[in-house]
Amino acid sequence: MGLKNEAQSAFQNTKSFYKEYVSGMTRERMGKEFYKDTDRLKQLYAEAVGEDVQKSEDKTIPGHLKIMRLFSALTQRLNPTRRLVFGLSVISFIAHYLFGFLQLTGIIIFYDFLLPFAFLTMAVLLLVELLEKSDVKREIDLAREIQLSLLPNTEHYRDNLEIASFANTAKEVGGDYVDVIESDEGTYIVIADVSGKGLSAALYMVRMQALVHLIIEKSSPSPKELFLELNNYVKSDIKDKTFVTACAAFFPKGEDHFIFARAGHNAPILFSNERDATFDLRSDGFALGMTTSQNMEQHLQEKKFHFKPNDSIIFYTDGLTESRNEWGEEYGDERLDGLISVYGSLHAKSIIHKIQSSLENFIGSEEPVDDVTFTCVHHIERK
């Protein structure tokens, strides 16, 4: 019978535990996370103290009052039970050192239990908060999976069109929306950016997607008609201050043109193979939710553009051009335009890969601060 070397096994287990514990603890990552946590604390401080400082005549608040308000803002994020336990823990911690300073250690019977109680309750609170955060993270991951399932396939073919898309969220979920919708008359391409980021923007995006599909299936509208109906829904809630920038294009089946409207969104870039040149499709139009539908109808332009074989068009959100590298430089419209002018005659999938590679090389190890979404439509030359 073979004998197992328990000492070696214990060493290996310790080594494995150490590797798991320190995984991801790179200087670069820890620096970024430290700055993120610092920004959160600054934001909490501004919410707790800053507003009152602005209202104050002398613009100054005593230091102890600031600490109390900051402490109150932190504890208000706990539920009442945890707030009570946290308060008892803090009192026990302070009482331990106060009784020691006053030399009352021999009089207070439970003195020896104060410090262990304080640390134990703090550890339990931390563990419960971490478990709750883990549950929330799991639910957000599920929401992310649902949101990603609503996005179009990365590759899509319809008649003489080849469509490819890319989407990356700055947080677990995002507010960018891109869709490819087919109808009997042709193909709709819709891209939009909901103001804000995170879960609220993502929920609003899902609502917008449902409305877009409903309107198109009901009446097969032109891009301008689509935006006017969407604006009615967005403006229906007076208290809602959300607005949405968007572009919509309709490619009639079997035709060499498309109909386009822009609601305050980034102007798409059209590559003309015949002229070997790029054009940005600027047109007037307010963002959805920023004005009444009557005013939007007067100012929103709808245009028709030629779209011939080997032509391509890029729709994108501002997260692409506003992505920054480690020196704070933006990717920019000119860089994107230059890329399309060189590779615009390629297939949609190849153009998307070129943009993705260019962006990744530009930002390096930096993470996008906003959602990045872009889609390419290429007119396939039939042989």
Side-chain angles (χ1 to χ4, degrees), residues 84 125 208 258 272 351 371:
L84 173 63
L125 273 179
M208 288 294 299
F258 64 90
S272 171
I351 296 175
D371 305 328

Side-chain angles (χ1 to χ4, degrees), residues 2-48:
L3 297 176
K4 184 178 180 181
N5 189 336
E6 295 292 347
Q8 181 68 17
S9 176
F11 172 76
Q12 292 295 339
N13 291 337
T14 303
K15 187 177 180 181
S16 176
F17 170 78
Y18 173 77
K19 287 183 177 179
E20 291 179 2
Y21 187 81
V22 301
S23 63
M25 291 186 184
T26 62
R27 180 182 300 178
E28 184 178 283
R29 180 172 178 180
M30 292 176 68
K32 289 181 180 178
E33 291 176 351
F34 174 79
Y35 283 119
K36 284 184 180 179
D37 292 339
T38 304
D39 288 339
R40 291 192 187 99
L41 290 175
K42 287 180 179 178
Q43 184 179 359
L44 178 65
Y45 177 83
E47 292 174 357

Side-chain angles (χ1 to χ4, degrees), residues 15 17 23 33 64 87 122-123 137 243 279 299-300 308:
K15 187 177 180 181
F17 170 78
S23 63
E33 291 176 351
H64 70 280
M122 283 288 189
K137 177 73 165 54
F243 65 90
F279 305 90
H299 293 88
L300 184 65
K308 298 180 179 180

Side-chain angles (χ1 to χ4, degrees), residues 71 75 78 82-98 114-115 117-122 125:
F71 182 81
T75 55
L78 299 173
R82 295 176 193 173
R83 203 181 310 144
L84 173 63
V85 174
F86 179 75
L88 292 174
S89 175
V90 172
I91 292 173
S92 299
F93 186 82
I94 295 174
H96 173 82
Y97 289 100
L98 181 62
L114 289 175
L115 198 59
F117 174 79
F119 280 109
L120 180 62
T121 50
M122 283 288 189
L125 273 179

